[in-house]
Amino acid sequence: MTPSGTRRQLSTADERKRTVLQTAVSAFADRGYFGTTTTDVAKRAGISQAYVYRLFPDKEALFVAVVEHCFALIRDSLSDGAAAAGGSAPEEVLRAMGDAYAQLIADRNLLLLQLHAQCAAAAEPAIREAVRAGYARLVEYVRGVSGAAEPDIQRFFATGMLCHLVVAIDADQVEAPWARALSEGLRHY
C-alpha cells in the first residue's frame, strides 16, 4: 500500500523489459554497440546490471532486441503512413509512408541507433542477421502495402538512407552547395 492507501502496481517482467529496451535505444544511440556497456544501460534504466542480465543473456542479445524493437517501431510508422495515404496509387502510399518515417526519425535516438546497428552489422554476425531480417520484413511490407515496382521500392529505401545521413550530420542546416544537393526535397521534422 502507498501512503495514500492505494495498492501499488508492480512492474511485470515484460513491462521492465520494454522499459529497458526503450532506455537502451538512447544508450546505444549515444555511443553505439561497441561503446556502450550493459552497466550504462542499467544505470539509465534505474536497475542493476544483474537485472539486465536476467532479462537478456548478454550485451549482444540486448542489442539485437533493441534493433528488433527499432524495426518494429519503423514498421508501425510505415503502417500509420500507409493508412493515412491520400489514395491507393503506389507513389501516394510511398509518399505517405516516407512522411511518417521522416516524422519518426525526428527522434534522433532512433536514427542514430539505426546507424550504429548498420555499423555493428559489419563486424557482428548476430547483429548483421537482425539488421538483414529487419530490412527483409520492411521491404516486403512496403512492397505488399504500396504495390510499387522494384525501382520505386529501392528509391524509397535509398531516400531513407539519405535522410539518415542528412539528419545525422545536420546537413539541412548547412548553407553550402553540397549540403543543398543532399537535402533538397527531403522532408524533415
Side-chain angles (χ1 to χ4, degrees):
M1 292 281 225
T2 63
S4 65
T6 60
R7 195 171 282 271
R8 193 174 118 194
Q9 187 173 11
L10 299 176
S11 297
T12 65
D14 286 340
E15 289 170 344
R16 182 59 75 181
K17 197 171 198 174
R18 192 169 30 258
T19 299
V20 170
L21 285 175
Q22 291 167 344
T23 303
V25 167
S26 67
F28 285 119
D30 285 348
R31 300 193 47 209
Y33 175 69
F34 298 105
T36 304
T37 66
T38 54
T39 301
D40 297 332
V41 174
K43 283 181 183 175
R44 285 189 192 209
I47 60 175
S48 70
Q49 184 183 27
Y51 196 80
V52 171
Y53 283 119
R54 283 182 58 201
L55 298 171
F56 303 95
D58 55 31
K59 182 172 96 167
E60 181 179 78
L62 171 60
F63 191 77
V64 165
V66 168
V67 168
E68 291 168 348
H69 172 72
C70 182
F71 275 110
L73 292 173
I74 294 167
R75 166 61 171 72
D76 290 346
S77 173
L78 295 178
S79 177
D80 291 346
S88 60
E91 55 276 357
E92 291 177 42
V93 176
L94 290 175
R95 187 176 316 109
M97 287 193 298
D99 189 57
Y101 182 71
Q103 290 178 35
L104 180 69
I105 65 168
D107 175 353
R108 288 180 63 90
N109 284 334
L110 287 174
L111 165 81
L112 295 173
L113 185 276
Q114 289 180 75
L115 293 173
H116 285 301
Q118 291 165 7
C119 291
E124 299 295 329
I127 297 169
R128 181 180 313 121
E129 188 51 41
V131 172
R132 281 181 182 167
Y135 275 109
R137 285 188 300 272
L138 287 181
V139 169
E140 293 310 317
Y141 177 76
V142 169
R143 179 192 326 276
V145 169
S146 71
E150 293 291 315
D152 296 325
I153 293 168
Q154 183 185 48
R155 194 172 307 106
F156 177 79
F157 281 92
T159 300
M161 296 296 177
L162 181 58
C163 287
H164 290 179
L165 173 65
V166 168
V167 173
I169 65 172
D170 291 324
D172 58 323
Q173 305 299 313
V174 176
E175 288 299 322
W178 69 267
R180 283 190 298 279
L182 290 179
S183 59
E184 185 67 34
L186 297 179
R187 293 173 296 256
H188 302 284
Y189 296 94

